[in-house]
Amino acid sequence: MKYYLEHAIRLAEMVEGQTGVNPPVGAVIVKEGRIIGMGAHLKKGDKHAEIQAIDMAGAQNVAGATIYVSLEPCSHYGATPPCAAKIIETGIQKVVYAARDITLPATGHEMMAEKGIDVQYTPHPRADKLYASFFASKTTEVPIVTVKVSASLDGKQATDHQQSKWITSKAVKDDVFQLRHMHDAIITGNGTLEADDPSLTVRLPEGRHPARIVMTNSGHIDWQAAMFHDQLAPVYIYTDNESFVSPLDHVHVVYLPSTDVKTILHDLYKKGFGRILVEAGPKLTSQFLTSEFISTFILYLAPKIIGGQGKYQYFQTDGVTPLDQLANFEIVHSEMIDTDIKLQMKRM
Amino acid sequence: MKYYLEHAIRLAEMVEGQTGVNPPVGAVIVKEGRIIGMGAHLKKGDKHAEIQAIDMAGAQNVAGATIYVSLEPCSHYGATPPCAAKIIETGIQKVVYAARDITLPATGHEMMAEKGIDVQYTPHPRADKLYASFFASKTTEVPIVTVKVSASLDGKQATDHQQSKWITSKAVKDDVFQLRHMHDAIITGNGTLEADDPSLTVRLPEGRHPARIVMTNSGHIDWQAAMFHDQLAPVYIYTDNESFVSPLDHVHVVYLPSTDVKTILHDLYKKGFGRILVEAGPKLTSQFLTSEFISTFILYLAPKIIGGQGKYQYFQTDGVTPLDQLANFEIVHSEMIDTDIKLQMKRM
């Protein structure tokens, strides 16, 4: 039934954000009209969702059953043997999946069909939504990137005196914690460290702290900043200054000859960071907002007008772009968070 | 975080309808901001949700973790040892649950708290909704009862010539299959067998056929009826006719000195049927609609007017009830199903 496939997609959604550069996948095994196993891929390197579900059901019990999977079962030997082979071996009779993995030479479908399994590709809009950025990310080998900005109605992150605490409400802070929890790493700039000294952690029960990535081209860094001393999550400093060294053992310096957005993101992807959140000042924020590698733009707007000269407008460019060539976004979701509004947008 | 508790409730919802007289329960184990195990109670007699989740995580890995459960972990030895003991034994640090089991001397909370576990009862409206009828059912020892009626706008199940195929659309049929799938047994009367010869099965892929319960007070039964010969699901005949016997081995006769609604339902509950669907003609339907034991009334209304003398009005009573003493319902959900409308109601 259709809703078993939706259950599988729901399980995948539950683990979204904790699988790094691996896709979130869910699986449900049904036999004689009854769920006998459920599973999800919990972590890169861990068992795949299909195997978790087979384990819950007991491999000896799944012959003749149907497995519903959010993504086509894999056919390749990676960290784990192919799920398609396991499905064949256990005698599962029917496989229904909601998305094809366009990033792999996916022959799982054909592999199972050849063995007489009834394999059904049943596309589902929720699965498409779940995997769209993942596939794009894997194809380009850059992480899924979210840019987050808290601003006034007139587009400013702070007053001209750099006062920014607090433009948005306490409730927005909690929402940002959730957002951080869903990402593997946060990118910020040294300017933000000096201005706000943020720890960029997740102050919620069961929160997962993302790694902190600090950009500095000059090589100037405020070593007093809290995040260099809290030991709550790894810190990386990205720089194009070859002579830059860290005086702190646990702070990793990554030298890149060029620190354009694409180069940085590609390097982060190679390190296993699947989802990146950008929380930075005008310079970095603008750099990412104009790049093609941003999948979501989250803007918290406080109903305040800041004025001044707009030194901290979150979006500033050197050149002038004609109106018909501006980057456009589509608002996919909006919601009130206490007194502020949150807009979730996709790059068009 | 709150959404882990919601995940646990969601897992419970996925298995609603397949746990018989046991409650549907879901559990999620979280450690260092990451889901490390998920589980659900899949079937009466099977492992509880907490144990499934611990198994997925590996019992050796859950020390210090938090478990989110839709229902308070049990403290009693039933078909399985108490989950509270297992949680204590494995070193889980924190337990968050969304509903208290009011039907048991539930000391799971206290049992775990005494051992120093941080136990949090966090009520959630979705869990309340999930367990309300279950608790009522368990307290009264009668199953959760849904009455389903397909009727015309003028409240008739058939024309005066007993023509009823098809008042509602094909899409309603599929919806009814889903409904049957969610119930352990269907009650109907011998009149419906003679008029429609229904099989009362679930003709959907992965559908689970409910048991069929046929009521006959006279002891008259149409033995040619399809359901006596399809062997797709058990058939029981309930009668107050002591001399009634079945000529067919696989058709069970249950003699009850009184066949009032409460006596029948109590007997069904004792047999392990947790959810009963009533799909019957005017007589049985009216009997159930006036009883206090109905938790949901589902009415499919086709935009047709049938007229005639109303021989098959679905609700008929011998006596006349004053308007201010009528049974009242609350419409909790309405939706268009193709050309018809479905009303889902709770007894007030």
Side-chain angles (χ1 to χ4, degrees):
Chain A
M1 287 190 219
K2 198 167 177 196
Y3 69 69
Y4 288 126
L5 187 60
E6 286 175 353
H7 288 352
I9 297 168
R10 183 79 67 181
L11 289 165
E13 288 166 348
M14 290 181 189
V15 294
E16 198 183 355
Q18 71 172 59
T19 52
V21 297
N22 271 17
V25 182
V28 172
I29 302 178
V30 181
K31 194 173 173 182
E32 287 154 15
R34 184 184 285 284
I35 296 173
I36 60 168
M38 296 165 144
H41 178 52
L42 300 174
K43 189 180 183 178
K44 185 169 174 347
D46 258 24
K47 284 181 201 166
H48 284 190
E50 297 92 322
I51 309 303
Q52 292 279 25
I54 290 171
D55 283 355
M56 186 183 290
Q60 72 284 5
N61 299 323
V62 300
T66 297
I67 188 165
Y68 294 82
V69 198
S70 59
L71 187 66
E72 181 181 0
C74 66
S75 56
H76 66 292
Y77 282 85
T80 57
C83 295
K86 184 75 177 176
I87 287 170
I88 293 166
E89 177 196 321
T90 53
I92 286 175
Q93 200 73 63
K94 187 171 155 186
V95 177
V96 183
Y97 67 93
R100 300 210 78 162
D101 192 338
I102 55 165
T103 66
L104 288 172
T107 54
H109 184 123
E110 292 68 23
M111 197 170 146
M112 297 182 294
E114 267 166 29
K115 297 289 181 184
I117 295 175
D118 175 10
V119 187
Q120 299 183 1
Y121 168 41
T122 308
H124 193 289
R126 282 227 323 271
D128 291 346
K129 185 168 168 291
L130 185 66
Y131 295 117
S133 1
F134 170 76
F135 290 152
S137 161
K138 199 167 171 195
T139 307
T140 52
E141 295 198 306
V142 302
I144 296 170
V145 178
T146 305
V147 174
K148 170 246 145 183
V149 169
S150 291
S152 64
L153 294 174
D154 54 333
K156 300 180 181 84
Q157 289 182 301
T159 69
D160 286 351
H161 290 160
Q162 209 170 356
Q163 192 193 356
S164 64
K165 283 182 180 171
W166 298 102
I167 291 176
T168 47
S169 69
K170 165 85 181 65
V172 164
K173 244 170 120 166
D174 282 348
D175 201 73
V176 171
F177 290 150
Q178 289 276 5
L179 201 59
R180 287 179 187 162
H181 172 80
M182 296 292 287
H183 290 82
D184 300 325
I186 303 186
I187 294 185
T188 195
N190 186 55
T192 301
L193 257 60
E194 289 184 336
D196 300 337
D197 195 11
S199 70
L200 302 181
T201 51
V202 177
R203 292 182 287 286
L204 290 177
E206 305 303 334
R208 185 167 58 103
H209 302 309
R212 284 84 51 102
I213 315 292
V214 184
M215 304 295 311
T216 174
N217 284 348
S218 63
H220 177 71
I221 276 288
D222 176 7
W223 290 110
Q224 303 307 311
M227 71 168 69
F228 295 126
H229 305 282
D230 63 15
Q231 309 252 7
L232 289 173
V235 185
Y236 293 84
I237 298 177
Y238 273 67
T239 184
D240 58 4
N241 181 336
E242 206 171 351
S243 58
F244 185 87
V245 284
S246 162
L248 302 168
D249 276 356
H250 61 279
V251 174
H252 316 283
V253 173
V254 181
Y255 160 74
L256 292 175
S258 158
T259 52
D260 63 300
V261 167
K262 186 176 177 175
T263 308
I264 296 161
L265 290 176
H266 183 64
D267 190 83
L268 287 167
Y269 188 85
K270 287 290 174 197
K271 287 192 165 55
F273 295 112
R275 289 167 191 270
I276 301 289
L277 179 65
V278 179
E279 287 195 69
K283 200 176 142 213
L284 266 176
T285 298
S286 299
Q287 228 173 304
F288 277 89
L289 280 178
T290 44
S291 100
E292 64 186 294
F293 300 108
I294 155 179
S295 81
T296 304
F297 174 27
I298 291 186
L299 179 60
Y300 299 97
L301 279 180
K304 296 179 170 71
I305 41 178
I306 283 182
Q309 297 306 306
K311 215 170 138 191
Y312 295 97
Q313 300 159 79
Y314 70 82
F315 190 54
Q316 300 174 36
T317 54
D318 291 335
V320 176
T321 314
L323 275 183
D324 59 358
Q325 289 166 36
L326 293 179
N328 270 307
F329 294 89
E330 180 196 358
I331 299 175
V332 292
H333 182 69
S334 73
E335 86 184 269
M336 286 300 299
I337 297 200
D338 196 359
T339 50
D340 306 323
I341 192 157
K342 174 186 183 181
L343 301 179
Q344 185 171 335
M345 290 164 276
K346 293 267 166 213
R347 181 74 187 265
M348 288 182 74
Chain B
M1 288 190 217
K2 196 164 177 198
Y3 69 68
Y4 288 127
L5 188 60
E6 286 176 353
H7 288 350
I9 298 168
R10 182 78 68 179
L11 288 165
E13 288 166 349
M14 289 183 191
V15 294
E16 198 182 355
Q18 71 172 57
T19 52
V21 298
N22 271 17
V25 182
V28 172
I29 303 178
V30 181
K31 194 173 173 182
E32 289 155 12
R34 184 186 287 284
I35 297 173
I36 61 168
M38 297 165 145
H41 179 53
L42 299 175
K43 190 181 183 177
K44 185 169 174 346
D46 259 24
K47 285 180 199 165
H48 285 191
E50 297 91 323
I51 310 303
Q52 291 279 24
I54 291 171
D55 283 355
M56 188 184 288
Q60 72 284 7
N61 298 322
V62 300
T66 298
I67 188 165
Y68 294 84
V69 198
S70 59
L71 187 66
E72 181 180 0
C74 66
S75 56
H76 65 291
Y77 282 84
T80 57
C83 294
K86 183 74 179 177
I87 286 170
I88 293 165
E89 177 196 321
T90 54
I92 285 175
Q93 200 73 60
K94 186 171 158 190
V95 176
V96 183
Y97 67 94
R100 300 210 78 160
D101 192 337
I102 56 166
T103 66
L104 288 172
T107 54
H109 184 124
E110 293 69 22
M111 194 169 150
M112 297 181 295
E114 269 167 28
K115 298 289 179 182
I117 295 175
D118 175 9
V119 186
Q120 301 183 0
Y121 168 41
T122 308
H124 193 290
R126 279 223 332 263
D128 292 345
K129 187 169 168 288
L130 184 66
Y131 295 117
S133 3
F134 171 76
F135 289 152
S137 161
K138 199 168 170 192
T139 309
T140 53
E141 295 199 304
V142 302
I144 295 169
V145 178
T146 306
V147 174
K148 169 246 144 182
V149 169
S150 289
S152 64
L153 294 174
D154 54 332
K156 300 180 180 87
Q157 290 181 302
T159 69
D160 286 352
H161 289 162
Q162 209 171 356
Q163 193 193 356
S164 64
K165 287 185 178 167
W166 299 100
I167 291 176
T168 47
S169 69
K170 166 86 182 61
V172 164
K173 245 172 118 164
D174 282 349
D175 201 73
V176 170
F177 290 150
Q178 290 275 8
L179 201 60
R180 288 181 187 162
H181 172 80
M182 297 291 289
H183 290 82
D184 301 326
I186 303 186
I187 294 186
T188 194
N190 187 54
T192 302
L193 258 59
E194 289 183 337
D196 299 337
D197 196 9
S199 71
L200 302 180
T201 52
V202 177
R203 292 182 287 288
L204 289 177
E206 304 304 333
R208 185 168 56 105
H209 303 308
R212 283 85 50 104
I213 315 292
V214 183
M215 304 294 312
T216 174
N217 285 347
S218 63
H220 178 72
I221 276 288
D222 176 8
W223 291 110
Q224 301 307 309
M227 71 169 66
F228 296 126
H229 305 283
D230 64 14
Q231 310 252 6
L232 289 172
V235 185
Y236 294 82
I237 297 177
Y238 274 66
T239 184
D240 57 6
N241 181 337
E242 206 171 353
S243 58
F244 185 86
V245 283
S246 162
L248 301 168
D249 275 356
H250 61 279
V251 173
H252 317 283
V253 172
V254 180
Y255 160 75
L256 293 174
S258 158
T259 52
D260 64 299
V261 167
K262 185 175 179 178
T263 310
I264 296 162
L265 290 176
H266 183 64
D267 190 82
L268 287 168
Y269 188 84
K270 288 290 175 198
K271 288 193 163 57
F273 294 112
R275 289 166 191 272
I276 301 288
L277 179 65
V278 179
E279 286 194 69
K283 201 176 144 211
L284 267 176
T285 297
S286 299
Q287 228 174 304
F288 277 89
L289 280 178
T290 44
S291 99
E292 62 187 296
F293 299 107
I294 157 179
S295 81
T296 305
F297 174 27
I298 291 186
L299 180 60
Y300 298 97
L301 280 179
K304 296 180 170 72
I305 40 178
I306 284 182
Q309 297 306 307
K311 214 170 138 189
Y312 295 98
Q313 301 158 78
Y314 70 83
F315 189 54
Q316 301 174 37
T317 55
D318 290 336
V320 175
T321 314
L323 275 184
D324 60 358
Q325 290 166 36
L326 293 180
N328 270 308
F329 294 89
E330 178 197 359
I331 299 175
V332 291
H333 181 71
S334 74
E335 89 184 87
M336 286 300 298
I337 298 201
D338 196 359
T339 51
D340 305 323
I341 193 157
K342 175 185 183 181
L343 301 179
Q344 186 171 333
M345 290 163 277
K346 294 265 167 217
R347 181 72 187 267
M348 288 182 76

